[in-house]
């Protein structure tokens, strides 16, 4: 048991090497045994063929046939048989009569005695091969008939090789067989060692339990972190995407293993993944999310392994930031108006003190009437209080910044299924962009806003007196963070049109970009039939 525990603690590469050596050793041993058995069978078969060929050739010799008919066959056959035995390297050549009486034998004392062995097939005219124990011990022998001129059996010839001789011949082959087996084992062991060393480098010398524990821990961490993680190899193929990454960019099943250029993600993000360039806090937009993307190269020992990309969901943060920016703008406008109101109040008080009460009243009510008229008109025509408040706030903010914001007389909204936050996103971002564009252009600086319901859709139209939007940049403006202003601030800059585009996609609406004096943006958001009713 302790041995198995020690084996389990060895490195994976060492375990694999030992296993390979064991398997190869068993295979080589089995192959060696089979080769030896096969060699023994071949040696015996070769001996049978050899003695049969020699015996048939000798039996067909005219000298043998003539000697069998002589008055003293032994005197003629013994020298002849011994000559054949020495010439062919067999152990015995025995010529006998049909009555099994020997006429020749390596031991002259055996001449005239009865042959030991089977001769039935030879007497019947057929050759015979067998392994039999005779006077010289166990031997592989062949017994063939000797035919006379009349084709009758006149005698028999038995030629054999002892099994001891066959074993000696086999023994001479054993070193070669074992040498080849040893060479094969050595080559296999070297190959196993090379594989083991490569595996050791790839597994960093860790053992199976360490690899399992590391995998479990890393897998748990990767799939539990709240950031999306994408790992790509050097060929820009996706190796790993954790659960959060799949959720954030809606990766389909089976995306792992595919080239980055073929992933079904927004084009700017796909191009970033395929490029492998290093980025920090780069904003990307999907259909319904704002993502902050970091991409860094993965290296080990100076060798590039690919890239690691992290995705952070900033959708809610961007929405809150946008609202905060709007509130900050409103606060600044209110602060400025409060300052201006204080100046007007001082002026009114001074006029009263000077006895010009009528002029004080006219001065105090002139601008208030205009602002109140806009407020009354919006509150009467727009039933969505969030939109009315947004338009009033933007009007004050634009006026404070020196831009005339006009809300057309046909602006009206009875209430739709569009969420208030989405209204703020669409109208607020379009108006903010229009004010910025107007400020960047020479006077007169104007922004015109129209919001009304038309043919089953909510239509938002915002135009400005700015320089307009280059048609070549329209696609970039809606696909990712884009701005005409240079800034290093990550949040809330260059996302306005992208966020508008997200809302439009969610409502299956449409955006048109035209040109009048400046840029004209028209957004149509379909109103569900149940909301119209």
């Amino acid at each position: 048991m302790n041995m198995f525990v020690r084996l389990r603690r060895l490195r994976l590469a060492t375990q694999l090497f030992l296993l390979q050596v064991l398997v190869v050793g068993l295979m080589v041993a089995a192959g060696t045994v089979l080769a030896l058995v096969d060699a023994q069978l071949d040696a015996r078969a070769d001996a049978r063929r050899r003695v049969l060929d020699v015996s048939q050739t000798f039996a067909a010799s005219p000298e043998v046939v003539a000697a069998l008919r002589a008055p003293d066959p032994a005197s003629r056959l013994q020298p002849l048989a011994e000559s054949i035995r020495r010439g062919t390297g067999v152990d015995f050549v025995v010529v006998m009569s049909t009555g099994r009486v020997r006429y020749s034998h390596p031991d002259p004392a055996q001449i005239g005695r009865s042959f030991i062995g089977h001769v039935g097939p030879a007497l019947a005219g057929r050759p015979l091969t067998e392994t039999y124990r005779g006077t010289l011990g166990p031997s592989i022998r062949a017994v063939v008939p000797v035919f006379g001129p009349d084709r009758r059996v006149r005698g028999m010839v038995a030629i054999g090789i002892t099994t001891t001789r066959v074993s000696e011949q086999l023994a001479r082959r054993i070193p070669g067989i074992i040498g080849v087996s040893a060479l094969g084992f050595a080559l296999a062991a070297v190959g196993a060692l090379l594989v083991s060393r490569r595996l050791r480098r790839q597994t960093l010398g860790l053992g199976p339990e360490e690899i399992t524990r590391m995998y479990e821990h890393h897998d748990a961490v990767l799939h539990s972190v709240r950031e999306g993680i994408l790992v790509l190899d050097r060929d820009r193929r996706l190796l790993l995407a954790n659960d959060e990454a799949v959720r954030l960019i809606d990766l389909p099943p089976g995306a792992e293993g595919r080239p980055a250029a073929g992933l079904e993600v927004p084009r700017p993000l796909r191009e970033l993944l395929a490029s492998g360039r290093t980025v920090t806090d780069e904003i990307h937009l999907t259909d319904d999310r704002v993502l902050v993307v970091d991409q860094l190269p993965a290296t080990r020992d100076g060798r590039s392994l690919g890239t690691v990309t992290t995705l952070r969901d900033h959708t809610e943060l961007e929405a809150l930031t946008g609202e905060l920016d709007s509130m900050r703008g409103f606060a600044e406008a209110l602060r400025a108006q409060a300052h201006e109101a204080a100046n007007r109040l001082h002026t009114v008080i001074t006029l009263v003190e000077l006895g010009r009460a009528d002029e004080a009243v006219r001065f105090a009510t002139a601008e208030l009437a205009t602002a109140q008229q806009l407020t009354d008109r919006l509150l009467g025509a727009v039933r969505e209080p969030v939109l009315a408040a947004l338009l009033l706030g933007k009007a004050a903010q634009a006026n404070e910044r020196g831009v005339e914001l006009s809300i057309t007389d046909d602006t009206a909204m009875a209430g739709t299924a569009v969420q208030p936050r989405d209204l703020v996103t669409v109208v607020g971002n379009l108006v903010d962009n229009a004010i910025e564009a107007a400020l960047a252009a020479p006077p007169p600086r104007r922004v015109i806003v129209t919001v009304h319901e038309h043919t089953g859709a909510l239509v938002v139209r915002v135009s400005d007196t700015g320089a307009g939007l280059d048609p070549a940049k329209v696609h970039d403006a809606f696909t990712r963070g884009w701005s005409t202003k240079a800034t290093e601030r990550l949040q809330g800059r260059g996302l306005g049109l992208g966020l508008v585009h997200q809302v439009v996609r969610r409502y299956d609406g449409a955006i048109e970009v035209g040109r009048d004096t400046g840029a004209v943006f028209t957004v149509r958001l379909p109103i569900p039939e149940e909301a119209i009713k």
Side-chain angles (χ1 to χ4, degrees):
M1 183 63 68
N2 291 334
M3 181 183 68
F4 287 109
V5 172
R6 287 196 296 270
L7 286 175
R8 290 179 59 186
R9 292 177 179 174
L10 292 176
R11 296 175 178 176
L12 180 61
T14 304
Q15 291 189 22
L16 180 61
F17 173 71
L18 295 177
L19 179 61
Q20 288 179 314
V21 170
L22 176 62
V23 172
V24 170
L26 292 176
M27 293 180 63
V28 169
T32 302
V33 171
L34 291 176
L36 291 174
V37 172
D38 186 64
Q40 184 179 25
L41 295 176
D42 286 346
R44 289 180 175 273
D46 183 65
R48 287 190 180 90
R49 288 192 298 270
R50 183 179 173 191
V51 296
L52 181 60
D53 291 342
V54 173
S55 59
Q56 287 179 331
T57 302
F58 185 57
S61 172
E63 296 178 351
V64 175
V65 176
L68 287 173
R69 297 173 62 185
D72 186 8
S75 61
R76 298 180 59 180
L77 290 172
Q78 175 66 8
L80 183 60
E82 286 300 299
S83 174
I84 295 298
R85 182 181 67 82
R86 288 190 295 268
T88 58
V90 297
D91 289 316
F92 63 86
V93 177
V94 176
V95 183
M96 71 192 85
S97 67
T98 54
R100 305 168 65 101
V101 177
R102 298 189 185 101
Y103 294 136
S104 65
H105 195 278
D107 182 5
Q110 299 295 330
I111 296 175
R113 296 183 179 181
S114 179
F115 176 76
I116 302 174
H118 299 96
V119 296
L123 291 174
R126 300 190 305 275
L128 163 69
T129 58
E130 64 176 351
T131 300
Y132 197 85
R133 178 179 290 273
T135 57
L136 300 179
S139 63
I140 298 174
R141 61 178 63 180
V143 182
V144 299
V146 179
F147 295 101
D150 55 358
R151 299 301 301 167
R152 293 178 62 184
V153 177
R154 298 298 181 179
M156 295 173 288
V157 172
I159 297 177
I161 300 175
T162 61
T163 55
T164 302
R165 175 75 66 84
V166 174
S167 298
E168 291 174 354
Q169 295 175 352
L170 176 61
R172 288 193 291 270
R173 298 177 59 183
I174 290 177
I177 295 174
I178 294 178
V180 171
S181 300
L183 178 61
F185 177 78
L187 293 176
V190 171
L193 179 61
L194 295 177
V195 172
S196 174
R197 293 181 61 182
R198 178 176 176 81
L199 183 61
R200 182 181 295 111
R201 290 195 300 270
Q202 293 180 336
T203 59
L204 306 179
L206 299 176
E209 293 182 354
E210 294 172 314
I211 293 176
T212 302
R213 184 167 58 252
M214 183 179 296
Y215 170 79
E216 291 174 347
H217 291 174
H218 287 190
D219 186 68
V221 170
L222 284 173
H223 292 286
S224 62
V225 295
R226 300 188 62 183
E227 291 186 351
I229 298 177
L230 302 173
V231 180
L232 291 90
D233 63 12
R234 289 178 296 179
D235 297 327
R236 318 309 310 144
R237 290 183 176 274
L238 181 63
L239 294 180
L240 181 145
N242 69 347
D243 297 342
E244 185 67 6
V246 171
R247 184 185 71 85
L248 291 178
I249 58 178
D250 296 323
L251 279 178
E256 294 182 356
R258 295 175 56 184
L263 295 177
E264 298 175 4
V265 297
R267 182 178 61 84
L269 180 58
R270 184 169 61 247
E271 292 176 350
L272 171 63
L273 295 175
S275 69
R277 61 186 174 89
T278 299
V279 299
T280 302
D281 292 342
E282 184 172 281
I283 290 188
H284 286 260
L285 301 177
T286 65
D287 288 347
D288 53 3
R289 291 185 177 87
V290 178
L291 302 179
V292 177
V293 181
D294 293 335
Q295 183 164 273
L296 297 172
T299 60
R300 180 176 177 81
D301 299 330
R303 182 169 54 93
S304 174
L305 302 178
T307 57
V308 177
T309 305
T310 59
L311 312 171
R312 285 171 286 159
D313 189 359
H314 276 221
T315 305
E316 293 297 327
L317 179 60
E318 288 298 335
L320 294 174
T321 301
E323 294 179 7
L324 179 61
D325 286 344
S326 296
M327 295 303 103
R328 186 182 293 110
F330 295 158
E332 291 176 355
L334 289 174
R335 188 181 301 109
Q337 287 184 355
H339 181 72
E340 185 65 20
N343 290 334
R344 287 197 298 267
L345 180 60
H346 286 304
T347 302
V348 170
I349 292 174
T350 301
L351 288 173
V352 171
E353 290 177 345
L354 293 175
R356 299 183 177 183
D358 294 339
E359 294 182 14
V361 171
R362 286 194 300 271
F363 179 79
T365 58
E367 291 191 11
L368 291 177
T370 302
Q372 187 62 41
Q373 182 180 3
L374 176 62
T375 301
D376 292 341
R377 181 165 63 84
L378 281 178
L379 293 178
V382 179
R383 297 184 183 178
E384 175 55 64
V386 172
L387 179 59
L390 176 67
L391 291 175
L392 288 172
K394 291 298 181 183
Q397 184 179 354
N399 182 64
E400 181 63 27
R401 300 183 65 182
V403 177
E404 179 186 352
L405 192 150
S406 300
I407 300 174
T408 59
D409 294 338
D410 60 343
T411 294
M413 179 177 171
T416 70
V418 179
Q419 295 295 322
R421 172 173 285 190
D422 294 334
L423 281 173
V424 171
T425 297
V426 173
V427 178
N429 281 295
L430 290 180
V431 171
D432 285 342
N433 285 348
I435 292 174
E436 295 290 346
L439 285 173
R445 300 181 176 94
R446 296 186 60 194
V447 173
I448 301 176
V449 180
T450 301
V451 181
H452 66 275
E453 297 172 358
H454 179 68
T455 62
L458 177 67
V459 179
V460 178
R461 186 176 187 273
V462 179
S463 62
D464 59 65
T465 57
L469 183 62
D470 187 350
K473 297 181 178 179
V474 171
H475 184 268
D476 290 337
F478 287 113
T479 54
R480 58 166 296 172
W482 178 88
S483 175
T484 58
K485 302 180 290 300
T487 179
E488 295 180 356
R489 188 163 67 94
L490 171 66
Q491 310 293 347
R493 178 65 70 193
L495 291 175
L497 293 180
L499 295 174
V500 171
H501 196 219
Q502 283 185 345
V503 174
V504 172
R505 278 200 299 264
R506 284 202 298 272
Y507 286 86
D508 292 329
I511 300 179
E512 297 178 5
V513 180
R515 186 177 180 86
D516 191 0
T517 303
V520 180
F521 288 85
T522 304
V523 174
R524 299 178 184 274
L525 302 179
I527 303 174
E529 295 182 1
E530 57 271 17
I532 298 176
K533 296 178 181 180

